[in-house]
Structure formats: structure tokens, C-alpha cells
Amino acid sequence: QYAASDGIRADLGPLQLRNMLIVSAGEDKPGRLLGAVYNSSSKDVKLTVNGAEGSQTQVPVKANSYTLLNDSTDKAMLSTSGGIAGSLVDVKVTEDGTNVSKTVRIPVLDDSLAEYKEYLPAGSEPTGSATPSPSPSATGTAAAH
């Protein structure tokens, strides 16, 4: 099936992962997991995500409900993203109720797309703003006048 979004989709036991992606400033920088996790079971479960270099985060999901990872109240952070922007990184996802797990490839994005800028982990140097892209066009425009 085609995921018509920046992120990927995966199913894991009673959990459906939708539009999952990691926002990070670099391969060795922290990464924030974004997306939605739906739970079709009648009990609360926890999704565990294991990434690069032992990084791990957990996402609790209520019974017959969902958890959105784009809200400021539900932050899922990996200490290391494991990939540069534009790459796919392997992460192991585990559902704690049945202990079902699998490895999925999740895309890494940075702040070069404005909609992800606010999700860059605190303390990361934004890669998009490190390159002063507005300056060359501004000087080019000033020289043209």
C-alpha cells in the first residue's frame, strides 16, 4: 500500500503506525518521532521504538484509541536519529501486549521543510538555517536594483 505522506505506515499486532517519520538535525543528533499510533485492541498497550546506538522511546496508546505524536504533550524522542535528512533508518518497533516486533525503515527529515522546523529536538542546530540560503538571493536582488 502507498503512504501518501512524508512518513511510512506499518502494522504491528493491534497497532497501526501511520505517517511515521523522524525529524532531526543530523545522523548523530537527537531525533523526534512524529506520526500517529492507533490501537484496535480492548486494552492499553505500549509501542517501544529502538533506534540507532541504543536509542529508545516508548509510546503509550489507550485501548480502542490513538496517540498523535505531533502534539507538544506527546513527545517521542530518540537520543540519536541514526541518519541524515533524506535517508531511511532501520528501527525496531515492539508492541508490549503481545511482544510482537519487527524492523521498519523510517524516513529522516530536517527543518528544510518549514512544517517540521518546530519539531526539531531542542539543542539541535537546525541544518536548514545553518546554510544562509536567503542571503544570496537577497544580495542578488539588491545588486539587480
Side-chain angles (χ1 to χ4, degrees):
Q1 291 183 351
Y2 174 70
S5 63
D6 292 330
I8 58 104
R9 57 183 287 145
D11 294 329
L12 183 69
L15 298 178
Q16 293 88 44
L17 286 62
R18 299 294 182 260
N19 197 26
M20 302 300 286
L21 57 95
I22 297 170
V23 179
S24 178
E27 183 173 7
D28 57 348
K29 303 277 186 184
R32 181 170 178 187
L33 190 65
L34 294 182
V37 183
Y38 295 87
N39 176 8
S40 62
S41 76
S42 58
K43 54 185 183 172
D44 297 354
V45 296
K46 196 175 293 177
L47 171 71
T48 301
V49 179
N50 292 291
E53 298 180 24
S55 62
Q56 178 178 302
T57 190
Q58 293 186 319
V59 180
V61 190
K62 298 272 185 211
N64 295 304
S65 189
Y66 60 90
T67 298
L68 296 178
L69 298 175
N70 344 10
D71 298 326
S72 58
T73 55
D74 292 309
K75 290 186 181 179
M77 304 295 288
L78 293 168
S79 57
T80 306
S81 71
I84 60 169
S87 67
L88 292 169
V89 295
D90 289 336
V91 298
K92 181 181 174 186
V93 292
T94 307
E95 185 268 311
D96 73 338
T98 58
N99 212 21
V100 173
S101 67
K102 71 192 243 180
T103 299
V104 295
R105 303 196 78 185
I106 297 183
V108 177
L109 300 172
D110 63 9
D111 68 331
S112 56
L113 293 173
E115 59 265 32
Y116 298 119
K117 188 173 200 142
E118 67 181 287
Y119 298 114
L120 256 166
S124 295
E125 282 297 315
T127 54
S129 59
T131 308
S133 55
S135 299
S137 62
T139 53
T141 305
H145 289 293

